Structure formats: C-alpha cells, structure tokens
Amino acid sequence: MNNLIKIQQILTKIAKVKGDDLTVESKLADIKGWDSLSQIKLIIALEAEFKVKLATTEIMKLHTVRDIINSIEKNNKC
Amino acid sequence: MNKIKSNKSENEPWQVNFAESSPFELIVACDVLNEIISIGASVLNYNKKIKIAILSSTTNNFLLEYIRLYFFQKGIFAEFYDAPFNNIISEILDVRSSLYSFKPDFTLILPYINDIDEYPDLFADNQQVDNLINNYTQKYIGLINKIKQKVSSYIIFSLFVLPNQRQLGNLEAKYKFSRITMLRQLNLKLAEDMPNDVTVLDLDYLFSNIGKDACFDEVGFFTSKFAYSLSATKEMTLLIGNLISSALGDMKKCLILDLDNTLWGGIIGDDGLNGINLDVNNPLGEAFLAFQRYLLQLRQRGILLAVCSKNDLNNALLPFKEHPNMLLKESDISCFMCNWDDKPLNIKRIAEYLNLSADSFVYFDDNPAEREIVRTFLPEVKVINVPDDPALFVRALDKSYCFEWLQLSPEDISRTDFYVKKGETGTAIETFVNYEDYLKSLEMYGKVSHLSKNELPRFTQLINKTNQFNLRTVRYSESQIMEMMQEQEKNILLFIELNDKFTPFGIISSLILKIDGNSLFIDTWVMSCRAFKRGVEKLAFNSIIENAKKIKAEQIIGEYIPTNKNHIVADLFTDFNFIPDAGEKHNKSSGQSSFFYLKTEDAGSLLHYIQMR
C-alpha cells in the first residue's frame, strides 16, 4: 500500500472527507471542517502510522497532501 | 437469575480496552464517540451523568476526550466545562462566571509550571524562599476556598509537575533557592495546607513513574499548547478516572489471589511444601517474596486479601501454616476459597461470604486462561494483566490504579481484621451461575485415542506426576508402557485430549485397561488437576464402557488404593454406579484397597458437554 493511500485513509478518518476526493495537490485548509484540532490529529496519526517524529519546522510546513508525502518520505530515508 | 454475562459488545466501537490501547487508538475511539454524540445522545446508553469542570492554563482537548471516553465505557456520560486558556483566576473570582452556573460535580484544577512567574534569586536566603512558597500556596488555597464558597463540587487539585530541565544541573538538589528544590517544597506545602476534602493529585509522581521525558512533548507544546504528551494524558486519565470513580462509590476493596506461581513458585499439590519456591537465595523465590511483602502493605492499609485457588484446601494452607519463608499468614486472608470449581463461581462465593459486590474485586492470577474466563463471565471484576515474569508482579499491580482511594481512615485499616472464612465448597450458595450453561459456553472439545509412540512421554509423565486424581498410584516407566503397548491382546492404553475456547489443555488424562478373561480391569486412570470439574472423567468413563463392549467383557473392575493425596477420587466408582465388593469394608483411610464392579450391560452413557472430535 503506497503512502498516498495511507495518507488518504488517515485524512478520511480525521475529517470525514472521501479519500477519492483527495489528490496530491489537495490543500488541507480546503477540507470541510478542517481546524487546528484536525491538524494535531493528523500529526499524531502520521507519527503512529509511519513511525516518524516530525519536527516543529516540518509540521509548520504541512499544507497540502504532497507536503505530507514529501515529509514522510524524507523521514523514512534518514 | 442465572444469566451469564459476556462483555463482548458488538455495537459499541468505543469499547476499546482503555489501559491497553495506544494513545492514537484512543483518539480514534474518541472520534467515533464524538460522532455518535453529535448525532444525538438518545442512541447512547448510559446510567449516570456527571459534570466535570477543567480549569487549566494549557489546552486540554485530548484530556477531556479521553476522560469522556473512559467514563462512557463505564456507562457514565461526562459533560465538560473547559475553562478558557489562562483564565483560571478570573474564572474563579468572577461570581457571574460560567464555571459557577455550570454547577460541576467535579472541578479539576491543573496548574502548569509556566504559571510560576517568580523564582528565588540565586543565593536568596531561606526566609525569602519561604515567603515565595507561602505566597503561591496562599494564592491557590484562596482560590480553592472561593470555589468552595460558591459551588459544592468535588475538587481535585494537581501539584506542579517539575520540569525536565535544570538551571544548576545536579546542584539544584542542594540549594533551597534553586528552582527544583523550591518547587518540591511548594508541592509539599500545597499538599499540607490543602483543605482535607480536596483531593491532591500528585501528577509529578505519576510523570516521574512514567518518565518525564516521555511526558513532555515540546513540539506539541510549541505548535498547539498541549502541556503533556498523549501517553502522559492517557495515564492522567486513568488516574483521574479512578479517583473520580472512587468518589462515585465505585471502589475496589478486595484483592483475590491465586496461589500456585502467584504467591510462590511451583504448584503446592504437586511439588509439596519443600518443592515450592520461596527461597530467599533464589531470584524467583525473592520475586515472590517481594510480591508478598507488597501484599502485606496493601493489607495493612485496609485492602482485604482473599485466596481463590484450584487446590485441595489442606495443601493450599500448608505453606501459610508451615513454610518458614512464607510472609503472608492465614490470618492475613479474609477468605480462603480452595476447591476444583471454576473461578467465576468461586469469586461469586467469595463475594457472598464477604458481603461485597462483584465490582469490589481485583483479581490477580498468573494463568492467562483463568484470567480470560473471569473477564468473560465476571466483567465487573478488575482483572490485572499479570506479566509472565514474577519480578514484575508488584509493578503490574501498583500501576493498575485499582486502589486509588480518596482518603484513609483508621476504620479502613481495621476492616481487614475481618472474620477469616475458609471454604471447600459453597453450601447453599451453589449456583449463582448455571453450571451447565457455563460448561456449554466453554465450548470444550475432546478426543480419546489409543496410545502411540508420539504421546508416550506425556502419557507416562501424567501417570508418574499425578497424585490427586489417581486411583491406584502405580508408577510405570516408559519402557514398561512400551511393553504393554506391544501386548495388544492384554492391554488397552488410552489418552484424552481437551481443549476449550480459552485454553489448549492438550493431553490431560491417561488410562491403562487390562483385559483379564471376561473382565476389563482399570489398572490406571489418572487426570490432570487442571481438567477437574469439566466432565472429562465422564468422557473417560464412556470410553471405558465402549472399549469393554468392543472386547465383549462382561464386567469392569476398578480398584481404589487410598493415599493421603487422592481422597478426591474415593467416591468415583460409586458415583459411576459401580458396586463395591461386598466382602470388604469400603475403608477410605486405611491404605487398604477396595474393589468395585460394574456389569457392562448395566452401564449407561454419561452426559457431558465436551464435543468429540
């Protein structure tokens, strides 16, 4: 299962958005009902699913699905 | 009412095991619960509603959700008032504040280390430091008194969590003016001066126990103002949840203990007094003794100790009476329930004897299958998830939060000077639980097979190890058994396997039947104690009859040779309608054997609840 699908599943759980509606270009802020609590849950979910620890600067830069994928892949390479 | 309760709830996706779920799994469960609550609370079932106000200077969303989830699993709906960030003081002093109109049942006050804005100067004298401490103390106590004036709420006040950073490094231990030392003293003074009806929450101890570094989440704090990590929040929830539950009357008062491999190493019935491990020079023995030492402490503070063990009562009492290293005494145990019945039934009996409800009990047993049976049939009993290593027993029990009371009184302590009850069987209290339904629900399946080489070691081991369910106590070596296997016209060797929903027991009974003319003689019939009271002996009996019919034996002969360990089978033959030899007196205790006879044609098939495979 590739990273995009996993991330779609996480976002679906958090924001009740349809996974298929999310593309790599989708902006988190555009998701209906997305708020700061959703953002926090996203970080927690990403850390649990991908076993990474995201730094403050990385978290501040997560605006789109592509940003998330890049961040995960960067952490997995290290 | 003889219904057996099961705690498997198919329709409630938030019923995750709180203590054993990861913080993330808990968030998922919380989200599901929130979703359902927002649809409309009428679809939810709860027995009780409580109102909890949280006053804190940091963000508490997850604590709040965790606590709501925790209580919802107990059938309690928790409504929250979360005081605005950094507004603790104005909330409390403003008479019109929504805190007061909320009318909370419980008010949780969580000060945060960053609230301390003034620390002593370096080299400040003791008087200066004390003044600062007094000022802070008076401020918080003043606020609490204000709350008490306006609202009759249970107040839980948290002590400060000391930070995981130090200006002076290790030196802070020495100097009273250092931040860490000042905070320690502040916490002591707060605890001391707090009104008696306020519950002091020692969050600093809790976090030290978990590990401070795992409790602080700097990234979480800077990005979202969450004071502590999710795993710290989870532990806070467990502690606060247990304290509030105590306030609501849901308190655990009695710890039920298994014996073998729980209080000592080994099995008293098999290993005897000299064989069990309470050896002070042995790591395992020491671990069990450390556990007993901790149990004595619990007893001292007013928690009742009870024993529930599958054992002969006299065997079970032996270590308490005679083992030189045993720390727990008979008089420490309020109820001794030792017999071969299954644990849920015995726990119900203990509850009746001690006049306590099932939800007052904590159950500690090294055997995971027994624990699962108790969890399934008595969901109100708190079952400790006992680790495999006895060295970790104390830790597992201590960290379970099950004895978080709100106060200690001399009456609590004297409660343990209760009557001591010993029981082999309940008397009129026999069936809380319909035993047949219980046996059926175990979903047992068994198999009787002829012995082959593969099973020889276990078959022989059973014969040589078993003392209690053993009619003649004749021991054989593997080679002797192999010889018997080869003489098929003279010997029938059978073994019985048993499994149930909870445990794969494996081979638990060995039989050696000898063909003697037109009789079939039961030379050996042994069964492992673990399989008592399940109907396996009936299965064995049916099999003996079947084999007798196959070889056209007219009668089946049994012999009972009493020992001081096997009185449990003294009446086995008469129970199965064998006729005792008229010529001899059926003497159970003299060591003289007795013979019993059953005509094959008279033998009926016995009912049991073991499915045959």
Side-chain angles (χ1 to χ4, degrees):
Chain A
M1 207 195 308
N2 75 20
N3 289 339
L4 173 60
I5 296 180
K6 283 189 194 172
I7 290 167
Q8 282 173 332
Q9 285 181 345
I10 289 174
L11 289 169
T12 306
K13 258 195 229 161
I14 294 173
K16 314 290 173 282
V17 58
K18 277 209 210 114
D20 308 333
D21 290 348
L22 292 167
T23 67
V24 188
E25 303 307 332
S26 301
K27 288 199 192 132
L28 296 175
D30 290 343
I31 296 177
K32 185 168 169 227
W34 190 263
D35 60 14
S36 56
L37 210 52
S38 319
Q39 190 85 11
I40 295 158
K41 288 181 186 175
L42 171 64
I43 305 304
I44 293 168
L46 291 174
E47 291 184 344
E49 174 70 38
F50 296 101
K51 311 273 184 280
V52 295
K53 187 91 186 83
L54 297 172
T56 311
T57 44
E58 289 176 293
I59 293 173
M60 288 166 63
K61 288 188 198 150
L62 296 179
H63 301 299
T64 65
V65 176
R66 183 186 294 283
D67 292 336
I68 299 175
I69 295 177
N70 288 343
S71 183
I72 299 298
E73 284 175 2
K74 191 171 92 144
N75 270 285
N76 277 334
K77 281 206 195 99
C78 304
Chain B
M1 193 180 50
N2 287 335
K3 229 170 76 144
I4 295 169
K5 284 183 272 187
S6 164
N7 70 342
K8 306 286 182 227
S9 28
E10 303 86 11
N11 301 323
E12 294 162 6
W14 59 83
Q15 287 283 14
V16 295
N17 183 320
F18 199 100
E20 285 166 31
S21 300
S22 74
F24 181 63
E25 284 164 354
L26 291 176
I27 290 197
V28 173
C30 288
D31 276 355
V32 172
L33 184 59
N34 286 341
E35 176 100 1
I36 296 179
I37 291 175
S38 64
I39 293 173
S42 60
V43 308
L44 300 166
N45 290 321
Y46 52 86
N47 306 322
K48 200 188 192 111
K49 240 179 151 166
I50 55 175
K51 291 198 275 187
I52 305 177
I54 302 185
L55 304 178
S56 131
S57 29
T58 57
T59 320
N60 292 304
N61 297 73
F62 290 127
L63 178 64
L64 196 151
E65 299 210 358
Y66 275 6
I67 295 179
R68 175 185 290 135
L69 177 67
Y70 176 88
F71 278 110
F72 211 82
Q73 293 181 346
K74 293 175 176 260
I76 299 174
F77 189 89
E79 212 185 303
F80 285 91
Y81 175 80
D82 192 7
F85 184 82
N86 258 333
N87 279 3
I88 285 191
I89 295 173
S90 61
E91 275 295 321
I92 295 174
L93 293 180
D94 180 359
V95 298
R96 289 157 306 165
S97 98
S98 25
L99 166 65
Y100 298 124
S101 50
F102 177 67
K103 290 194 174 45
D105 300 308
F106 296 91
T107 303
L108 187 53
I109 305 176
L110 303 173
Y112 186 58
I113 194 64
N114 290 10
D115 298 344
I116 304 288
D117 44 17
E118 195 187 339
Y119 286 100
D121 298 329
L122 292 176
F123 296 110
D125 61 39
N126 288 352
Q127 189 59 64
Q128 273 183 280
V129 179
D130 284 338
N131 287 345
L132 206 51
I133 289 174
N134 286 334
N135 286 343
Y136 280 124
T137 306
Q138 276 163 29
K139 170 175 134 183
Y140 284 104
I141 299 209
L143 291 176
I144 284 170
N145 284 332
K146 205 80 189 181
I147 296 179
K148 289 173 73 182
Q149 276 172 21
K150 301 266 182 271
V151 146
S152 67
S153 162
Y154 223 106
I155 299 177
I156 299 176
F157 179 85
S158 167
L159 296 177
F160 287 95
V161 177
L162 272 47
N164 62 345
Q165 49 174 265
R166 289 179 301 188
Q167 178 188 35
L168 306 176
N170 186 64
L171 279 173
E172 300 222 354
K174 169 124 177 107
Y175 295 109
K176 194 167 154 132
F177 52 75
S178 75
R179 296 179 177 215
I180 292 290
T181 298
M182 185 214 114
L183 289 168
R184 281 193 179 133
Q185 302 207 313
L186 173 58
N187 274 348
L188 283 172
K189 187 118 177 74
L190 283 167
E192 198 173 42
D193 290 359
M194 202 55 65
N196 285 334
D197 55 354
V198 171
T199 298
V200 172
L201 186 72
D202 196 343
L203 219 51
D204 189 67
Y205 178 88
L206 180 67
F207 285 8
S208 297
N209 227 341
I210 298 166
K212 284 267 172 77
D213 287 344
C215 293
F216 290 116
D217 178 5
E218 290 92 332
V219 177
F221 183 71
F222 293 132
T223 50
S224 357
K225 293 289 171 286
F226 282 104
Y228 309 119
S229 67
L230 270 190
S231 41
T233 306
K234 173 186 158 184
E235 296 300 317
M236 277 173 79
T237 303
L238 287 168
L239 177 55
I240 293 168
N242 274 284
L243 284 168
I244 292 180
S245 296
S246 280
L248 294 172
D250 176 13
M251 279 170 65
K252 304 297 179 199
K253 300 177 184 153
C254 177
L255 176 59
I256 299 180
L257 299 155
D258 179 47
L259 291 179
D260 296 318
N261 290 313
T262 296
L263 291 190
W264 53 69
I267 297 176
I268 186 68
D270 290 342
D271 303 327
L273 195 61
N274 296 324
I276 59 169
N277 189 355
L278 281 173
D279 186 350
V280 298
N281 296 315
N282 175 291
L284 274 185
E286 286 207 52
F288 286 112
L289 287 171
F291 185 53
Q292 288 197 23
R293 238 169 255 128
Y294 182 74
L295 295 175
L296 278 175
Q297 289 184 17
L298 293 181
R299 191 223 180 276
Q300 188 189 34
R301 66 166 269 196
I303 292 166
L304 300 178
L305 301 180
V307 163
C308 179
S309 170
K310 285 190 180 171
N311 249 308
D312 176 85
L313 180 62
N314 293 320
N315 280 343
L317 284 170
L318 217 46
F320 290 86
K321 288 182 148 102
E322 293 181 30
H323 198 292
N325 298 346
M326 187 79 183
L327 293 171
L328 286 168
K329 302 271 165 276
E330 259 188 278
S331 52
D332 293 321
I333 311 296
S334 302
C335 183
F336 238 100
M337 193 59 69
C338 295
N339 54 55
W340 299 103
D341 290 333
D342 276 7
K343 305 267 175 153
L345 183 54
N346 276 324
I347 292 176
K348 288 248 184 190
R349 289 184 181 129
I350 295 175
E352 174 92 354
Y353 271 136
L354 295 178
N355 209 11
L356 294 171
S357 52
D359 62 6
S360 313
F361 292 103
V362 180
Y363 181 63
F364 196 103
D365 188 327
D366 72 291
N367 186 324
E370 298 282 25
R371 297 199 297 266
E372 191 55 31
I373 290 180
V374 173
R375 260 189 214 110
T376 305
F377 293 100
L378 290 175
E380 325 92 286
V381 171
K382 163 92 181 169
V383 177
I384 303 291
N385 205 3
V386 178
D388 292 331
D389 191 344
L392 302 175
F393 280 3
V394 173
R395 189 183 284 215
L397 186 52
D398 193 73
K399 287 183 185 332
S400 64
Y401 303 106
C402 41
F403 297 118
E404 294 295 351
W405 294 354
L406 295 159
Q407 68 242 0
L408 197 63
S409 67
E411 290 76 35
D412 291 323
I413 293 174
S414 63
R415 180 190 295 130
T416 48
D417 298 330
F418 224 161
Y419 52 92
V420 175
K421 285 247 172 184
K422 296 189 191 72
E424 282 200 50
T425 55
T427 45
I429 332 170
E430 258 331 294
T431 42
F432 282 103
V433 169
N434 181 314
Y435 206 65
E436 285 178 1
D437 285 344
Y438 171 70
L439 287 178
K440 282 187 218 162
S441 64
L442 289 173
E443 292 173 31
M444 297 181 283
Y445 53 94
K447 190 168 176 208
V448 186
S449 321
H450 287 273
L451 182 67
S452 74
K453 254 203 248 177
N454 284 336
E455 301 88 27
L456 184 58
R458 171 62 179 159
F459 183 89
T460 315
Q461 182 199 47
L462 266 175
I463 289 177
N464 293 323
K465 223 179 70 146
T466 305
N467 296 314
Q468 299 183 83
F469 195 111
N470 190 335
L471 289 158
R472 302 176 66 236
T473 318
V474 179
R475 314 291 190 186
Y476 292 112
S477 66
E478 277 187 30
S479 45
Q480 284 172 313
I481 305 236
M482 287 235 340
E483 261 184 60
M484 288 188 227
M485 277 169 71
Q486 274 145 20
E487 297 176 316
Q488 287 189 10
E489 69 290 358
K490 284 202 215 158
N491 303 299
I492 301 176
L493 296 102
L494 303 167
F495 66 91
I496 304 181
E497 292 166 274
L498 178 71
N499 290 301
D500 71 21
K501 196 163 74 172
F502 301 96
T503 325
F505 288 96
I507 298 175
I508 40 77
S509 185
S510 303
L511 287 105
I512 301 178
L513 310 171
K514 289 201 180 276
I515 305 170
D516 183 11
N518 63 357
S519 306
L520 186 64
F521 177 64
I522 304 174
D523 176 283
T524 297
W525 182 2
V526 301
M527 187 168 76
S528 163
C529 324
R530 297 185 300 145
F532 281 8
K533 297 289 190 137
R534 298 298 192 91
V536 179
E537 56 278 22
K538 296 186 187 176
L539 181 56
F541 174 82
N542 290 349
S543 187
I544 293 172
I545 304 304
E546 225 178 273
N547 278 280
K549 288 187 178 159
K550 247 193 245 168
I551 60 159
K552 302 210 188 346
E554 279 174 16
Q555 68 174 352
I556 302 150
I557 306 176
E559 183 186 15
Y560 170 61
I561 304 176
T563 66
N564 57 5
K565 292 194 176 170
N566 70 351
H567 57 262
I568 197 176
V569 286
D571 296 322
L572 185 68
F573 287 122
T574 44
D575 285 346
F576 286 163
N577 291 326
F578 280 64
I579 303 185
D581 193 335
E584 293 165 13
K585 240 174 63 174
H586 179 41
N587 193 328
K588 289 181 198 177
S589 52
S590 70
Q592 277 183 337
S593 75
S594 328
F595 285 89
F596 300 82
Y597 303 87
L598 183 66
K599 283 213 181 62
T600 311
E601 62 188 5
D602 291 342
S605 178
L606 295 176
L607 171 67
H608 59 74
Y609 297 100
I610 303 171
Q611 296 253 36
M612 299 307 297
R613 289 279 170 95

